[in-house]
């Protein structure tokens, strides 16, 4: 799995909003990028978010969304970037908070690098 430069800080499946649908994707967070793959072990990323272009990450309770497959999820998080917004949710609230914490730390570190 190509992840460019940087150590892998976290990886795992998240659901990503794509239009009106939610798609299960495999994400890899490194020191500078968030990679999105169709599945674990894939070699070509479907998308790459340069975290230097991130504006922030926010926990969202009572997401007003229709979850796929009857999943009873009430929390998700948003990742705001200069290229657009991403809405994601994980297996449980603890998983979501862990992704958010790490993303927040990486974004802060990347931003401080460019100051």
């Amino acid at each position: 799995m190509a992840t460019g430069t940087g150590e892998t800080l976290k990886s795992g499946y998240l659901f990503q909003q794509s239009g009106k649908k939610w798609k299960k994707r495999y994400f890899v967070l490194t020191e500078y990028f968030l990679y999105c793959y169709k599945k674990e072990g894939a070699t070509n990323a479907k998308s790459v978010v340069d975290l230097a272009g991130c504006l922030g990450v926010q926990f969202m309770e009572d997401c007003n969304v229709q979850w796929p497959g009857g999943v009873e999820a009430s929390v998700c998080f948003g990742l705001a970037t200069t290229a657009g917004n991403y809405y994601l949710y994980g297996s449980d609230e603890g998983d979501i908070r862990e992704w958010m914490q790490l993303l927040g730390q990486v974004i802060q570190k990347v931003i401080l690098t460019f100051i």
Side-chain angles (χ1 to χ4, degrees):
M1 191 175 323
T3 55
T5 60
E7 173 189 349
T8 296
L9 303 174
K10 183 168 177 62
S11 61
Y13 282 99
L14 293 170
F15 282 88
Q16 178 182 15
Q17 188 175 29
S18 177
K20 292 185 178 184
K21 296 182 179 183
W22 289 85
K23 296 184 178 182
K24 186 176 183 179
R25 297 288 186 233
Y26 190 78
F27 285 85
V28 177
L29 176 62
T30 69
E31 297 170 319
Y32 303 99
F33 301 99
L34 178 64
Y35 295 87
C36 173
Y37 297 90
K38 189 169 185 174
K39 61 183 180 179
E40 186 175 7
T43 55
N44 294 321
K46 291 191 70 54
S47 63
V48 180
V49 177
D50 182 348
L51 297 176
C54 280
L55 306 172
V57 60
Q58 181 175 351
F59 183 75
M60 302 166 66
E61 289 189 75
D62 299 321
C63 296
N64 188 20
V65 295
Q66 189 171 15
W67 303 105
V71 170
E72 292 188 26
S74 61
V75 294
C76 64
F77 68 94
L79 180 64
T81 74
T82 54
N85 297 324
Y86 298 85
Y87 298 100
L88 307 157
Y89 78 90
S91 58
D92 57 47
E93 186 175 333
D95 186 45
I96 292 169
R97 289 191 183 276
E98 185 177 352
W99 275 101
M100 286 184 55
Q101 180 182 19
L102 287 169
L103 279 163
Q105 290 170 355
V106 170
I107 292 166
Q108 185 176 17
K109 179 182 173 186
V110 170
I111 290 171
L112 291 175
T113 301
F114 293 105
I115 293 179

